[in-house]
Amino acid sequence: MDNAIKLHYNVDGEDFTLAGTTSATVKKYLKTLGLPPDVIRRTAIAMYEAEINMVIHADGGVIDVEITPEKIHIVLKDRGPGIPDVEKAMQEGYSTASNEIRELGFGAGMGLPNIKTCSDEMKVDTVIGEGTTMDLVINIK
Amino acid sequence: MKVSDIKEKLNLTCAAGEGGLDRELEGCYIGDLMSLAMTGVHEDMVWITIQTNINVTAVASLADAACVVIADRAVPDEATVKKANELELPLLTTEMTAYETAKALAALGI
Ligand SMILES: Nc1ncnc2c1ncn2[C@@H]1O[C@H](COP(=O)(O)OP(=O)(O)O)[C@@H](O)[C@H]1O
Ligand SMILES: [Mg+2]
């Protein structure tokens, strides 16, 4: 689509203190576009959870966001370890996060369920030892 | 009610983000898990937590919290303070527990 807005970001997997920066930038941008608050909120939650997962579980990656009048399309690609059992990972409360990460308030095992609730389409492509690509769509109308 | 009002009435210490003290607030969420706070905190709410790491500012700002009350004598990290100042997100600390803080907020009608 020619009137699509395209944004590209690198997510640093080393610096935990920066996690969420990309989501914050995109949220701010969506606000300037005047999109409905519900769309902005769902995008912010889904993207934040996916971005955090990239940092905690996969050592960073890249995020592409495409915005059209109809929808927000987010593709998050990492070169992490992959997810052995996606169905299990999608269950509320399932987490492989370390104790160190849990002490910071992560590892509730609610990230993937939150992403599912907040997005209209969610696709997870994962290959063990190669990485995970998450494809999310949030409809605007 | 404004953030500055609860700061005064509950005798909270503003550790960062003074620029946001004038903001109106409504409602409250209590919790220390980021994924739950992300969905539980809504626009203009007070978020009570004992987390002190910088991810608190990310979640609070993404969820559009009016302020964060850090309960139980916890002290925000230096990086958290810096980020909260940048975001003008008030971080209010207190010796009260989360429960005592929530009771005091409820007594104010929040
Ligand atoms: N990008 C990813 N790469 C590898 N594993 C992942 C990724 N995202 C999620 N996972 C796995 O799925 C589990 C569940 O994820 P999530 O629901 O976000 O919970 P949490 O992040 O709190 O552990 C994680 O603990 C991890 O094992
Ligand atoms: Mg997660």
Side-chain angles (χ1 to χ4, degrees), chain A residues 10-30:
Chain A
N10 289 306
V11 176
D12 189 342
E14 306 279 290
D15 196 348
F16 198 61
T17 62
L18 286 176
T21 310
T22 306
S23 312
T25 306
V26 170
K27 185 192 170 193
K28 218 186 273 171
Y29 186 73
L30 296 180

Side-chain angles (χ1 to χ4, degrees), chain A residues 48-50 52-54 56-57 95 106-112 115, chain B residues 35:
Chain A
Y48 177 72
E49 292 288 5
I52 286 290
N53 280 354
M54 273 182 138
I56 295 179
H57 305 296
S95 174
F106 295 100
M110 289 302 295
L112 295 176
I115 295 169
Chain B
S35 286

Side-chain angles (χ1 to χ4, degrees), chain A residues 16-17 19 23-24 27 31 41 44-45 48-49 52 103-106 108 110-111 114, chain B residues 32-36 38-43 51 53-55 58-59 61-64:
Chain A
F16 198 61
T17 62
S23 312
K27 185 192 170 193
K31 265 191 167 170
R41 182 175 170 82
I45 295 174
Y48 177 72
E49 292 288 5
I52 286 290
E103 271 169 25
L104 296 173
F106 295 100
M110 289 302 295
N114 276 354
Chain B
D32 307 316
L33 295 177
M34 301 299 174
S35 286
L36 301 188
M38 200 61 217
T39 53
V41 178
H42 286 258
E43 194 174 355
Q51 290 292 352
N53 70 79
I54 188 165
N55 296 287
V59 170
S61 91
L62 280 166
D64 241 334

